[in-house]
């Protein structure tokens, strides 16, 4: 990985781009670019993030991303192929012997399916407000209709007299 980082550094310098300029153009920090150029993989939270940064940096420098990814993938293969078959078999045996409870306790932040928790309180508050407004509107409408009935039933006496005089 150090060879790949020094290759990217040489390409940046030969293009006449400063570290500050590259960092601002790529929206990365200077520290991230320094870690890529020095081959420090432990500075990144996961290898996929590092891979994406390397791809964007390679394209920015005008290099062929496929060639750089081949070198990066070789690095990954060397890093991950150091696990012996015996260790893999032992891990499989441990996994088989675990109960379902123990299997559920193991969670990775990258593969965890997060269930969205619904907060019921805002829904209840809005429902209560709508119910209150509806009931107030119904009461107002009922009172208005009662007043109209009263007006039509109770005519003043002078109106009846006025009608007969015509």
């Amino acid at each position: 990985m150090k060879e790949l980082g020094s290759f990217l550094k040489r390409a940046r310098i030969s293009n006449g781009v400063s570290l500050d300029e590259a960092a601002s153009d790529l929206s990365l920090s200077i520290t991230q670019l320094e870690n890529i150029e020095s081959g420090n993989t432990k500075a990144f939270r996961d290898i996929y993030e590092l891979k994406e940064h390397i791809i964007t940096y390679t394209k920015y420098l005008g290099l062929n991303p496929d060639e750089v990814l081949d070198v990066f993938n070789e690095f990954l293969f060397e890093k991950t192929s150091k696990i012996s078959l015996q260790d893999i078999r032992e891990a499989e045996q441990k996994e088989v012997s675990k109960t379902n409870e123990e299997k559920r306790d193991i969670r990775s932040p990258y593969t965890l399916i997060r269930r969205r928790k619904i907060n019921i309180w805002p829904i209840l508050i809005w429902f209560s407000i709508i119910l209150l407004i509806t009931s107030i509107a119904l009461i107002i409408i009922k009172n208005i209709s009662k007043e109209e009935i009263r007006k039509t039933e109770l005519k003043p006496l002078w109106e009846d007299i006025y009608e007969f005089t015509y």
Side-chain angles (χ1 to χ4, degrees):
M1 185 63 196
K2 289 183 181 183
E3 295 85 20
L4 178 62
S6 63
F7 171 72
L8 293 173
K9 184 176 184 177
R10 285 192 307 269
R12 177 182 57 80
I13 293 170
S14 68
N15 286 336
V17 178
S18 70
L19 201 57
D20 295 332
E21 183 180 359
S24 66
D25 289 344
L26 295 172
S27 299
L28 295 173
S29 68
I30 295 173
T31 309
Q32 287 175 317
L33 288 180
E34 287 174 343
N35 285 326
I36 289 172
E37 289 180 352
S38 67
N40 184 9
T41 59
K42 294 178 182 177
F44 297 91
R45 66 181 157 109
D46 67 18
I47 204 75
Y48 300 108
E49 177 189 18
L50 173 62
K51 184 176 182 179
E52 290 301 316
H53 290 325
I54 288 175
I55 290 171
T56 56
Y57 193 35
T58 302
K59 289 178 182 177
Y60 174 76
L61 294 174
L63 302 172
N64 185 355
D66 293 330
E67 292 175 5
V68 174
L69 281 179
D70 287 341
V71 174
F72 182 75
N73 288 334
E74 286 177 21
F75 160 75
L76 281 180
F77 179 74
E78 288 176 14
K79 184 176 180 180
T80 57
S81 66
K82 293 181 181 177
I83 303 171
S84 68
L85 288 176
Q86 182 63 29
D87 292 339
I88 294 172
R89 287 187 187 119
E90 287 176 6
E92 287 175 348
Q93 289 298 323
K94 288 179 184 177
E95 188 66 28
V96 169
S97 65
K98 287 183 180 178
T99 64
N100 286 336
E101 287 282 323
E102 292 172 333
K103 287 180 184 177
R104 274 185 265 160
D105 288 342
I106 300 173
R107 294 187 179 124
S108 169
Y110 304 111
T111 58
L112 181 64
I113 298 173
R114 298 182 195 270
R115 292 188 181 160
R116 189 172 168 196
K117 294 182 180 179
I118 298 174
N119 190 355
I120 196 74
W121 289 109
I123 296 170
L124 288 175
I125 290 170
W126 279 108
F127 181 73
S128 301
I129 291 171
I130 291 171
L131 186 64
L132 181 66
I133 291 171
T134 306
S135 59
I136 290 171
L138 288 174
I139 290 170
I140 290 172
I141 290 171
K142 189 174 181 183
N143 285 337
I144 289 173
S145 64
K146 281 184 181 179
E147 285 179 19
E148 288 177 5
I149 291 172
R150 284 186 203 139
K151 284 180 183 177
T152 57
E153 289 177 357
L154 301 174
K155 288 184 176 180
L157 184 61
W158 62 270
E159 284 183 8
D160 288 337
I161 297 171
Y162 184 72
E163 286 179 13
F164 287 121
T165 58
Y166 266 149

